Amino acid sequence: MCMAIPSEVISIENGMATVECFGVTRQASLLMMDGQVAVGDYVLIQAGGFVAELVDKQTALETQAMMAEMLAHQAS
Amino acid sequence: MISFAPEGVIQVQLVLERGRIAAVRLRPRPLPPLKALLKGRQADQAARMLPRLFSLCRIAQTCAALNAIEQALGVAPPPAQSAARLVLTLAETIQEHATRLTLDGPLAFGQAPDVETAKAVRRHIAALVPLICKNDDWVRPGGGRLSPRPNDLADWLEELRRLILSGLMAGRDVSALLEVKDLRDWAQGQGSAPARLLQALLKPGLAGFGASATGLMGHLDSGQVMARLAASDWESYAQAPQTAAGLCLETGPLARQNDHRLIRTLEAESGHGLAARILARLLELAQTLTGIALALPLLMEGEGVDLPVAGGVGLGAAEAARGRLFHWVRLDAGRIEEYRLLAPTEWNFHPEGAFVQGLKGAEAADAETASALARRQGLALDPCVGLEIEVSHA
């Protein structure tokens, strides 16, 4: 559904970031980001598994809260 | 812990028999429960929330939402607002196509990506909104405060044209080519990542991979879409849409560029396969530039219209990079009562649609090959969708 929820960067190694969102971790390439990404940042991952955008922490947490609200409804 | 796949994973089952993909079965994605999030919220608040969730094509999603809300309220935005939305949507399409053509497309075929061009286009597109309005003021039903900067916008467009012409088209407007032979010559020059990609894809065997007889979406009866999304069984429609006549359709760049002579000729040679689908994205870059150039003079300084506190039902459409997108809303006293969405993905990944038909019968000696072919077909149709592929033997 072309949703993308901001994920937190928990580690960076060899141009790849490990990101976490709702307890799920996955890997994404930092090829597009020119070294702008650090551990603790929130990012959006694009199709193909590329980090495409930095998101400020407040916006990221608000968006995660919106998604959590929807998912809680879906689960109930 | 919440387990989920925000991009919406489609489960695909492939059945191999005598070296071919004999059957393709899809399980539709669950629909996001938007009503749970939006019910009771003011329409303008909902319009600002949706792009946060649908951030991969947020402009098109926003435009579809604004259009739906406006129709429900019975208001029409001033022409300058519509022009601003069109320019922003077209720019988003360029960004998405450029990424496909320089980054994930080449990588999927073992070629070197052109990261610098992908980044340059993305940076340039990101600079557009501030030339039209402050913050995200355009995101308001009825229209927001626009403060366009005409000279800067003209410069912005020229730079975008230069980026596309030099970075993607290797100095030649590919949309002006008339014959596939000319296209092959251009591709053989290998002057850009899309040229190298097309050189590989224009080879016999690959060019027609994934082709099917699925019809291409042109005019679509919006009354039928509205009625189906309003119905109590709307979820089954939104997960597997068909026309009133029960036909599956392909939506996206190929459907939009189908009238181009190069696409017509390629179709005659090898069908609507990989080469036609990738070429359509390249051709659409040029057409989109023209669309932006035509819309920019319509941008005027000004505000939107006031919104009544009213109820009603509305359908909004937008052409996202991936295809046609619909939002449906029911408002009560200016607040969201119901919210539904029909994404382009569900047309292309219908259980009898273009993805499935194009894969059926493809030669695949083993499970690994079959999976790779399915991923290739998925990338050509909708790169934003994750596929979970399972292969069995008949």
Side-chain angles (χ1 to χ4, degrees):
Chain A
M1 200 60 69
C2 57
M3 287 182 154
I5 307 305
S7 303
E8 184 178 4
V9 177
I10 55 175
S11 68
I12 295 175
E13 196 172 346
N14 297 327
M16 295 294 288
T18 302
V19 303
E20 185 272 337
C21 182
F22 292 145
V24 177
T25 59
R26 51 185 171 166
Q27 294 229 304
S29 167
L30 293 170
L31 203 58
M32 293 280 282
M33 295 304 289
D34 283 335
Q36 308 158 42
V37 178
V39 171
D41 284 345
Y42 285 82
V43 295
L44 286 178
I45 300 171
Q46 215 206 17
F50 298 93
V51 173
E53 199 175 321
L54 276 168
V55 183
D56 70 79
K57 185 173 181 178
Q58 187 185 340
T59 304
L61 295 178
E62 286 172 5
T63 307
Q64 286 187 355
M66 284 194 270
M67 177 55 81
E69 194 178 330
M70 284 206 303
L71 292 167
H73 180 272
Q74 201 166 39
S76 64
Chain B
M1 181 170 86
I2 301 170
S3 174
F4 83 121
E7 293 85 357
V9 171
I10 293 180
Q11 293 179 336
V12 181
Q13 277 189 318
L14 306 175
V15 181
L16 281 183
E17 188 176 4
R18 294 185 200 137
R20 289 189 183 273
I21 299 175
V24 183
R25 300 188 190 105
L26 292 188
R27 178 186 280 187
R29 304 180 295 178
L31 300 170
L34 291 173
K35 178 182 173 183
L37 180 68
L38 301 178
K39 186 174 165 65
R41 297 189 192 267
Q42 296 281 1
D44 58 346
Q45 187 192 8
R48 286 186 172 274
M49 289 172 74
L50 286 166
R52 300 265 291 271
L53 294 172
F54 297 101
S55 48
L56 292 182
C57 48
R58 63 169 70 109
I59 302 286
Q61 297 280 358
T62 304
C63 291
L66 294 174
N67 293 341
I69 291 167
E70 286 160 356
Q71 191 183 84
L73 293 175
V75 300
Q81 305 284 337
S82 301
R85 293 176 194 175
L86 177 62
V87 167
L88 292 168
T89 306
L90 294 175
E92 182 176 74
T93 293
I94 288 178
Q95 174 182 286
E96 292 308 303
H97 286 358
T99 306
R100 303 288 87 73
L101 291 165
T102 58
L103 212 57
D104 17 333
L107 285 169
F109 289 91
Q111 298 182 342
D114 179 359
V115 181
E116 290 312 310
T117 296
K119 287 195 288 196
V121 172
R122 185 169 279 272
R123 272 196 305 268
H124 194 66
I125 299 295
L128 176 59
V129 170
L131 303 181
I132 295 176
C133 62
K134 287 184 183 143
N135 304 316
D136 267 332
D137 285 358
W138 69 278
V139 184
R140 178 187 171 275
R145 171 182 283 277
L146 301 184
S147 45
R149 292 154 46 184
N151 292 338
D152 291 338
L153 282 165
D155 292 344
W156 176 88
L157 179 60
E158 277 316 297
E159 175 60 13
L160 181 59
R161 199 188 302 278
R162 189 196 66 74
L163 276 172
I164 289 174
L165 197 59
S166 63
L168 289 127
M169 295 191 174
R172 180 109 191 244
D173 179 359
V174 178
S175 72
L177 300 176
L178 294 177
E179 306 296 338
V180 172
K181 176 188 168 302
D182 300 329
L183 179 68
R184 285 200 166 89
D185 288 345
W186 172 82
Q188 277 165 11
Q190 301 193 9
S192 67
R196 292 187 286 276
L197 181 59
L198 270 172
Q199 188 196 23
L201 298 185
L202 283 167
K203 288 176 182 158
L206 260 190
F209 171 76
S212 77
T214 307
L216 300 176
M217 188 181 287
H219 168 75
L220 193 64
D221 179 359
S222 59
Q224 191 246 348
V225 176
M226 181 116 173
R228 295 294 283 114
L229 286 177
S232 57
D233 64 344
W234 73 278
E235 285 178 312
S236 61
Y237 173 71
Q239 285 186 313
Q242 289 183 314
T243 66
L247 297 175
C248 293
L249 295 175
E250 177 174 344
T251 181
L254 178 63
R256 293 190 294 250
Q257 298 302 316
N258 184 42
D259 285 337
H260 195 285
R261 184 182 166 121
L262 287 178
I263 296 286
R264 293 273 188 199
T265 314
L266 266 187
E267 183 196 1
E269 284 184 9
S270 50
H272 284 149
L274 263 179
R277 290 195 174 107
I278 298 299
L279 174 63
R281 290 188 171 90
L282 193 61
L283 298 174
E284 195 156 78
L285 292 176
Q287 193 196 49
T288 302
L289 274 176
T290 304
I292 293 175
L294 291 171
L296 281 183
L298 302 175
L299 296 181
M300 304 279 177
E301 192 153 334
E303 307 271 357
V305 296
D306 290 336
L307 298 178
V309 180
V313 175
L315 179 74
E319 279 292 343
R322 301 172 302 132
R324 201 166 307 169
L325 167 72
F326 292 97
H327 284 213
W328 180 94
V329 67
R330 187 166 68 234
L331 298 176
D332 181 23
R335 292 179 183 272
I336 306 289
E337 184 64 24
E338 185 67 73
Y339 208 99
R340 298 169 182 175
L341 191 146
L342 172 58
T345 307
E346 272 58 41
W347 289 97
N348 292 337
F349 289 81
H350 186 285
E352 297 167 25
F355 175 85
V356 169
Q357 298 301 336
L359 268 183
K360 267 188 195 169
E363 285 182 32
D366 50 39
E368 194 180 340
T369 306
S371 292
L373 292 178
R375 294 199 185 286
R376 189 173 279 180
Q377 175 79 331
L379 183 72
L381 278 165
D382 189 337
C384 297
V385 173
L387 301 177
E388 268 180 16
I389 301 168
E390 191 182 297
V391 183
S392 60
H393 294 267

